[in-house]
Amino acid sequence: MSQDSLKIPEYILMDPTGNITALVTEPVEPEERRNTAALIMSREPAAEQLGFLCESKNADIDLEMAGGEFCGNATMCAAVFFAANNNLSSGTVNVDVSGVNAPVNVEVEILRDGSWRGTVEMPVPEAVEVITFLDGCSLPVVHLPGADHIILETEQSLEDPDRPSLENRLRSYSE
């Protein structure tokens, strides 16, 4: 099936921590997910990742990330989606998420302004290491199933005057 003939399923955009997440909220056949994800991501340039929400036999909700990875922010989004749609103003939501072997607990709470607070029980990393780039800069990397997370100190934030150099380091790591 070509991308042009795909029906775009219902989806929402959520912003858990400045990391825009697209969640497909209606069923999509597994063989159609790759093309569906590509189509939605092309329409939503601000989205950094996409997941498919499904009914779960082992948890409150199932989240299948488009790349099969674990994503803490998307897991938090899935939990908030479940809570909001089940009139749960606070509590624990159990999310069966791709990239990990067991469901993950997420504590959620709706705030007075209508936004949500969530805390994800992160899976145990496969490894943690410090990598040193060719320019001598060293950064810690947390390896989770399907995704690596490079940790930046506050002073290495997006406002860093050396941001182009930082972006080049990150790009070289992912190649």
Side-chain angles (χ1 to χ4, degrees), residues 122-157:
M122 296 295 285
V124 175
E126 294 173 341
V128 178
E129 67 177 323
V130 174
I131 59 169
T132 302
F133 295 91
L134 293 175
D135 63 2
C137 175
S138 295
L139 296 172
V141 180
V142 177
H143 300 281
L144 291 171
D148 292 343
H149 297 265
I150 296 176
I151 309 300
L152 301 175
E153 298 295 329
T154 305
E155 59 270 8
Q156 293 171 309
S157 71

mmCIF file of all heavy atoms in Angstrom, residues 122-157:
data_model
loop_
_atom_site.group_PDB
_atom_site.id
_atom_site.type_symbol
_atom_site.label_atom_id
_atom_site.label_comp_id
_atom_site.label_asym_id
_atom_site.label_seq_id
_atom_site.Cartn_x
_atom_site.Cartn_y
_atom_site.Cartn_z
ATOM 1 N N MET A 122 11.693 4.194 35.154
ATOM 2 C CA MET A 122 12.562 3.875 34.017
ATOM 3 C C MET A 122 13.117 2.461 34.149
ATOM 4 O O MET A 122 13.439 2.006 35.245
ATOM 5 C CB MET A 122 13.708 4.880 33.932
ATOM 6 C CG MET A 122 13.253 6.303 33.653
ATOM 7 S SD MET A 122 12.489 6.489 32.039
ATOM 8 C CE MET A 122 13.932 6.436 31.001
ATOM 9 N N PRO A 123 13.252 1.763 33.000
ATOM 10 C CA PRO A 123 13.862 0.437 33.045
ATOM 11 C C PRO A 123 15.350 0.546 33.378
ATOM 12 O O PRO A 123 15.969 1.603 33.196
ATOM 13 C CB PRO A 123 13.658 -0.096 31.625
ATOM 14 C CG PRO A 123 13.476 1.116 30.780
ATOM 15 C CD PRO A 123 12.865 2.166 31.660
ATOM 16 N N VAL A 124 15.900 -0.553 33.861
ATOM 17 C CA VAL A 124 17.332 -0.586 34.171
ATOM 18 C C VAL A 124 18.104 -0.473 32.861
ATOM 19 O O VAL A 124 17.815 -1.196 31.898
ATOM 20 C CB VAL A 124 17.690 -1.895 34.904
ATOM 21 C CG1 VAL A 124 19.178 -2.005 35.135
ATOM 22 C CG2 VAL A 124 16.930 -1.984 36.215
ATOM 23 N N PRO A 125 19.069 0.452 32.784
ATOM 24 C CA PRO A 125 19.846 0.585 31.545
ATOM 25 C C PRO A 125 20.637 -0.687 31.253
ATOM 26 O O PRO A 125 21.044 -1.414 32.161
ATOM 27 C CB PRO A 125 20.802 1.740 31.835
ATOM 28 C CG PRO A 125 20.299 2.403 33.063
ATOM 29 C CD PRO A 125 19.470 1.412 33.801
ATOM 30 N N GLU A 126 20.861 -0.916 29.965
ATOM 31 C CA GLU A 126 21.730 -2.024 29.559
ATOM 32 C C GLU A 126 23.174 -1.705 29.924
ATOM 33 O O GLU A 126 23.940 -2.595 30.256
ATOM 34 C CB GLU A 126 21.607 -2.263 28.059
ATOM 35 C CG GLU A 126 20.225 -2.759 27.660
ATOM 36 C CD GLU A 126 20.035 -2.844 26.163
ATOM 37 O OE1 GLU A 126 20.799 -2.209 25.395
ATOM 38 O OE2 GLU A 126 19.096 -3.553 25.749
ATOM 39 N N ALA A 127 23.520 -0.428 29.837
ATOM 40 C CA ALA A 127 24.879 0.009 30.172
ATOM 41 C C ALA A 127 24.885 1.526 30.304
ATOM 42 O O ALA A 127 24.021 2.211 29.771
ATOM 43 C CB ALA A 127 25.867 -0.411 29.092
ATOM 44 N N VAL A 128 25.871 2.029 31.040
ATOM 45 C CA VAL A 128 26.131 3.465 31.142
ATOM 46 C C VAL A 128 27.629 3.626 30.905
ATOM 47 O O VAL A 128 28.436 2.897 31.486
ATOM 48 C CB VAL A 128 25.744 4.023 32.526
ATOM 49 C CG1 VAL A 128 26.077 5.511 32.614
ATOM 50 C CG2 VAL A 128 24.267 3.788 32.813
ATOM 51 N N GLU A 129 27.981 4.552 30.049
ATOM 52 C CA GLU A 129 29.398 4.775 29.753
ATOM 53 C C GLU A 129 29.634 6.249 29.458
ATOM 54 O O GLU A 129 28.699 7.018 29.257
ATOM 55 C CB GLU A 129 29.860 3.919 28.572
ATOM 56 C CG GLU A 129 29.226 4.334 27.245
ATOM 57 C CD GLU A 129 29.740 3.540 26.051
ATOM 58 O OE1 GLU A 129 30.939 3.208 26.015
ATOM 59 O OE2 GLU A 129 28.937 3.267 25.152
ATOM 60 N N VAL A 130 30.876 6.627 29.432
ATOM 61 C CA VAL A 130 31.261 7.975 29.018
ATOM 62 C C VAL A 130 31.968 7.826 27.681
ATOM 63 O O VAL A 130 32.872 7.006 27.534
ATOM 64 C CB VAL A 130 32.190 8.640 30.059
ATOM 65 C CG1 VAL A 130 32.694 9.978 29.542
ATOM 66 C CG2 VAL A 130 31.456 8.819 31.382
ATOM 67 N N ILE A 131 31.505 8.624 26.692
ATOM 68 C CA ILE A 131 32.165 8.590 25.394
ATOM 69 C C ILE A 131 32.955 9.876 25.216
ATOM 70 O O ILE A 131 32.553 10.936 25.703
ATOM 71 C CB ILE A 131 31.173 8.391 24.230
ATOM 72 C CG1 ILE A 131 30.126 9.503 24.194
ATOM 73 C CG2 ILE A 131 30.509 7.036 24.310
ATOM 74 C CD1 ILE A 131 29.294 9.503 22.928
ATOM 75 N N THR A 132 34.079 9.769 24.550
ATOM 76 C CA THR A 132 34.915 10.928 24.257
ATOM 77 C C THR A 132 34.932 11.125 22.748
ATOM 78 O O THR A 132 35.256 10.201 21.996
ATOM 79 C CB THR A 132 36.341 10.728 24.792
ATOM 80 O OG1 THR A 132 36.254 10.500 26.208
ATOM 81 C CG2 THR A 132 37.201 11.964 24.529
ATOM 82 N N PHE A 133 34.570 12.322 22.331
ATOM 83 C CA PHE A 133 34.538 12.654 20.915
ATOM 84 C C PHE A 133 35.930 13.052 20.440
ATOM 85 O O PHE A 133 36.838 13.278 21.248
ATOM 86 C CB PHE A 133 33.532 13.797 20.671
ATOM 87 C CG PHE A 133 32.118 13.387 20.966
ATOM 88 C CD1 PHE A 133 31.582 13.562 22.227
ATOM 89 C CD2 PHE A 133 31.328 12.808 19.984
ATOM 90 C CE1 PHE A 133 30.280 13.178 22.515
ATOM 91 C CE2 PHE A 133 30.026 12.419 20.260
ATOM 92 C CZ PHE A 133 29.498 12.604 21.521
ATOM 93 N N LEU A 134 36.100 13.142 19.120
ATOM 94 C CA LEU A 134 37.399 13.475 18.537
ATOM 95 C C LEU A 134 37.934 14.805 19.031
ATOM 96 O O LEU A 134 39.143 14.990 19.134
ATOM 97 C CB LEU A 134 37.310 13.484 17.006
ATOM 98 C CG LEU A 134 37.051 12.122 16.360
ATOM 99 C CD1 LEU A 134 36.856 12.273 14.856
ATOM 100 C CD2 LEU A 134 38.189 11.160 16.672
ATOM 101 N N ASP A 135 37.040 15.740 19.386
ATOM 102 C CA ASP A 135 37.493 17.052 19.854
ATOM 103 C C ASP A 135 37.829 17.054 21.352
ATOM 104 O O ASP A 135 38.125 18.084 21.928
ATOM 105 C CB ASP A 135 36.464 18.136 19.540
ATOM 106 C CG ASP A 135 35.127 17.927 20.250
ATOM 107 O OD1 ASP A 135 34.992 16.955 21.022
ATOM 108 O OD2 ASP A 135 34.220 18.741 20.011
ATOM 109 N N GLY A 136 37.749 15.867 22.010
ATOM 110 C CA GLY A 136 38.105 15.752 23.415
ATOM 111 C C GLY A 136 36.946 15.915 24.383
ATOM 112 O O GLY A 136 37.096 15.673 25.578
ATOM 113 N N CYS A 137 35.771 16.315 23.902
ATOM 114 C CA CYS A 137 34.594 16.475 24.760
ATOM 115 C C CYS A 137 34.101 15.092 25.188
ATOM 116 O O CYS A 137 33.972 14.187 24.369
ATOM 117 C CB CYS A 137 33.491 17.215 24.000
ATOM 118 S SG CYS A 137 31.935 17.332 24.910
ATOM 119 N N SER A 138 33.831 14.916 26.471
ATOM 120 C CA SER A 138 33.312 13.649 26.996
ATOM 121 C C SER A 138 31.896 13.852 27.530
ATOM 122 O O SER A 138 31.630 14.831 28.224
ATOM 123 C CB SER A 138 34.208 13.141 28.126
ATOM 124 O OG SER A 138 35.479 12.822 27.628
ATOM 125 N N LEU A 139 31.009 12.915 27.210
ATOM 126 C CA LEU A 139 29.618 12.974 27.660
ATOM 127 C C LEU A 139 29.160 11.584 28.091
ATOM 128 O O LEU A 139 29.520 10.585 27.454
ATOM 129 C CB LEU A 139 28.697 13.472 26.540
ATOM 130 C CG LEU A 139 28.913 14.895 26.042
ATOM 131 C CD1 LEU A 139 28.063 15.160 24.800
ATOM 132 C CD2 LEU A 139 28.584 15.901 27.127
ATOM 133 N N PRO A 140 28.342 11.510 29.145
ATOM 134 C CA PRO A 140 27.800 10.209 29.550
ATOM 135 C C PRO A 140 26.679 9.760 28.605
ATOM 136 O O PRO A 140 25.908 10.581 28.106
ATOM 137 C CB PRO A 140 27.255 10.468 30.956
ATOM 138 C CG PRO A 140 27.078 11.942 31.047
ATOM 139 C CD PRO A 140 28.002 12.586 30.062
ATOM 140 N N VAL A 141 26.624 8.436 28.383
ATOM 141 C CA VAL A 141 25.594 7.835 27.539
ATOM 142 C C VAL A 141 24.920 6.718 28.322
ATOM 143 O O VAL A 141 25.597 5.853 28.892
ATOM 144 C CB VAL A 141 26.195 7.254 26.235
ATOM 145 C CG1 VAL A 141 25.105 6.628 25.373
ATOM 146 C CG2 VAL A 141 26.935 8.319 25.450
ATOM 147 N N VAL A 142 23.599 6.750 28.347
ATOM 148 C CA VAL A 142 22.810 5.703 28.978
ATOM 149 C C VAL A 142 22.205 4.874 27.847
ATOM 150 O O VAL A 142 21.489 5.402 27.000
ATOM 151 C CB VAL A 142 21.692 6.290 29.872
ATOM 152 C CG1 VAL A 142 20.842 5.184 30.469
ATOM 153 C CG2 VAL A 142 22.291 7.183 30.953
ATOM 154 N N HIS A 143 22.514 3.582 27.830
ATOM 155 C CA HIS A 143 22.006 2.679 26.796
ATOM 156 C C HIS A 143 20.764 1.974 27.323
ATOM 157 O O HIS A 143 20.833 1.207 28.274
ATOM 158 C CB HIS A 143 23.062 1.631 26.428
ATOM 159 C CG HIS A 143 24.326 2.215 25.889
ATOM 160 N ND1 HIS A 143 24.447 2.655 24.589
ATOM 161 C CD2 HIS A 143 25.522 2.435 26.480
ATOM 162 C CE1 HIS A 143 25.676 3.115 24.395
ATOM 163 N NE2 HIS A 143 26.354 2.998 25.536
ATOM 164 N N LEU A 144 19.620 2.279 26.698
ATOM 165 C CA LEU A 144 18.366 1.609 26.998
ATOM 166 C C LEU A 144 17.998 0.752 25.793
ATOM 167 O O LEU A 144 18.531 0.977 24.697
ATOM 168 C CB LEU A 144 17.258 2.624 27.279
ATOM 169 C CG LEU A 144 17.391 3.415 28.576
ATOM 170 C CD1 LEU A 144 16.370 4.534 28.632
ATOM 171 C CD2 LEU A 144 17.235 2.500 29.777
ATOM 172 N N PRO A 145 17.102 -0.191 25.945
ATOM 173 C CA PRO A 145 16.717 -1.016 24.796
ATOM 174 C C PRO A 145 16.223 -0.155 23.632
ATOM 175 O O PRO A 145 15.263 0.597 23.772
ATOM 176 C CB PRO A 145 15.593 -1.896 25.346
ATOM 177 C CG PRO A 145 15.822 -1.929 26.817
ATOM 178 C CD PRO A 145 16.398 -0.583 27.162
ATOM 179 N N GLY A 146 16.911 -0.219 22.529
ATOM 180 C CA GLY A 146 16.488 0.475 21.318
ATOM 181 C C GLY A 146 16.873 1.938 21.222
ATOM 182 O O GLY A 146 16.638 2.565 20.190
ATOM 183 N N ALA A 147 17.448 2.525 22.261
ATOM 184 C CA ALA A 147 17.785 3.950 22.200
ATOM 185 C C ALA A 147 18.904 4.263 23.184
ATOM 186 O O ALA A 147 18.954 3.707 24.280
ATOM 187 C CB ALA A 147 16.563 4.806 22.523
ATOM 188 N N ASP A 148 19.773 5.148 22.759
ATOM 189 C CA ASP A 148 20.823 5.664 23.635
ATOM 190 C C ASP A 148 20.474 7.093 24.008
ATOM 191 O O ASP A 148 19.957 7.847 23.184
ATOM 192 C CB ASP A 148 22.185 5.674 22.923
ATOM 193 C CG ASP A 148 22.708 4.277 22.663
ATOM 194 O OD1 ASP A 148 22.209 3.320 23.284
ATOM 195 O OD2 ASP A 148 23.628 4.134 21.835
ATOM 196 N N HIS A 149 20.756 7.457 25.251
ATOM 197 C CA HIS A 149 20.488 8.811 25.731
ATOM 198 C C HIS A 149 21.803 9.444 26.144
ATOM 199 O O HIS A 149 22.468 8.954 27.061
ATOM 200 C CB HIS A 149 19.518 8.783 26.924
ATOM 201 C CG HIS A 149 18.182 8.226 26.576
ATOM 202 N ND1 HIS A 149 17.129 9.027 26.226
ATOM 203 C CD2 HIS A 149 17.728 6.958 26.490
ATOM 204 C CE1 HIS A 149 16.077 8.268 25.960
ATOM 205 N NE2 HIS A 149 16.423 7.012 26.111
ATOM 206 N N ILE A 150 22.178 10.522 25.470
ATOM 207 C CA ILE A 150 23.380 11.267 25.830
ATOM 208 C C ILE A 150 22.955 12.339 26.821
ATOM 209 O O ILE A 150 22.021 13.100 26.577
ATOM 210 C CB ILE A 150 24.055 11.886 24.590
ATOM 211 C CG1 ILE A 150 24.529 10.768 23.659
ATOM 212 C CG2 ILE A 150 25.206 12.784 25.003
ATOM 213 C CD1 ILE A 150 25.131 11.246 22.362
ATOM 214 N N ILE A 151 23.649 12.399 27.951
ATOM 215 C CA ILE A 151 23.287 13.315 29.021
ATOM 216 C C ILE A 151 24.090 14.604 28.872
ATOM 217 O O ILE A 151 25.321 14.581 28.827
ATOM 218 C CB ILE A 151 23.566 12.687 30.410
ATOM 219 C CG1 ILE A 151 22.938 11.297 30.514
ATOM 220 C CG2 ILE A 151 23.102 13.624 31.517
ATOM 221 C CD1 ILE A 151 21.447 11.253 30.336
ATOM 222 N N LEU A 152 23.366 15.719 28.819
ATOM 223 C CA LEU A 152 23.994 17.033 28.737
ATOM 224 C C LEU A 152 23.809 17.764 30.053
ATOM 225 O O LEU A 152 22.707 17.791 30.596
ATOM 226 C CB LEU A 152 23.367 17.869 27.609
ATOM 227 C CG LEU A 152 23.454 17.284 26.208
ATOM 228 C CD1 LEU A 152 22.678 18.156 25.233
ATOM 229 C CD2 LEU A 152 24.896 17.164 25.779
ATOM 230 N N GLU A 153 24.854 18.334 30.549
ATOM 231 C CA GLU A 153 24.761 19.150 31.755
ATOM 232 C C GLU A 153 24.023 20.439 31.415
ATOM 233 O O GLU A 153 23.971 20.858 30.258
ATOM 234 C CB GLU A 153 26.167 19.477 32.284
ATOM 235 C CG GLU A 153 26.952 18.253 32.695
ATOM 236 C CD GLU A 153 26.362 17.514 33.881
ATOM 237 O OE1 GLU A 153 25.745 18.170 34.749
ATOM 238 O OE2 GLU A 153 26.500 16.288 33.926
ATOM 239 N N THR A 154 23.472 21.099 32.409
ATOM 240 C CA THR A 154 22.710 22.323 32.200
ATOM 241 C C THR A 154 23.495 23.346 31.395
ATOM 242 O O THR A 154 22.976 23.977 30.492
ATOM 243 C CB THR A 154 22.284 22.942 33.553
ATOM 244 O OG1 THR A 154 21.581 21.953 34.287
ATOM 245 C CG2 THR A 154 21.414 24.149 33.341
ATOM 246 N N GLU A 155 24.768 23.500 31.690
ATOM 247 C CA GLU A 155 25.555 24.492 30.961
ATOM 248 C C GLU A 155 25.810 24.088 29.520
ATOM 249 O O GLU A 155 26.305 24.871 28.730
ATOM 250 C CB GLU A 155 26.875 24.808 31.679
ATOM 251 C CG GLU A 155 27.773 23.628 31.897
ATOM 252 C CD GLU A 155 27.513 22.913 33.224
ATOM 253 O OE1 GLU A 155 26.538 23.231 33.930
ATOM 254 O OE2 GLU A 155 28.293 22.014 33.553
ATOM 255 N N GLN A 156 25.437 22.873 29.139
ATOM 256 C CA GLN A 156 25.567 22.416 27.758
ATOM 257 C C GLN A 156 24.193 22.396 27.088
ATOM 258 O O GLN A 156 23.933 21.595 26.223
ATOM 259 C CB GLN A 156 26.183 21.014 27.719
ATOM 260 C CG GLN A 156 27.604 20.981 28.187
ATOM 261 C CD GLN A 156 28.094 19.556 28.338
ATOM 262 O OE1 GLN A 156 27.462 18.746 28.980
ATOM 263 N NE2 GLN A 156 29.224 19.287 27.744
ATOM 264 N N SER A 157 23.333 23.297 27.496
ATOM 265 C CA SER A 157 21.963 23.311 27.013
ATOM 266 C C SER A 157 21.878 23.850 25.591
ATOM 267 O O SER A 157 22.878 24.183 24.965
ATOM 268 C CB SER A 157 21.103 24.184 27.932
ATOM 269 O OG SER A 157 21.456 25.539 27.754
#
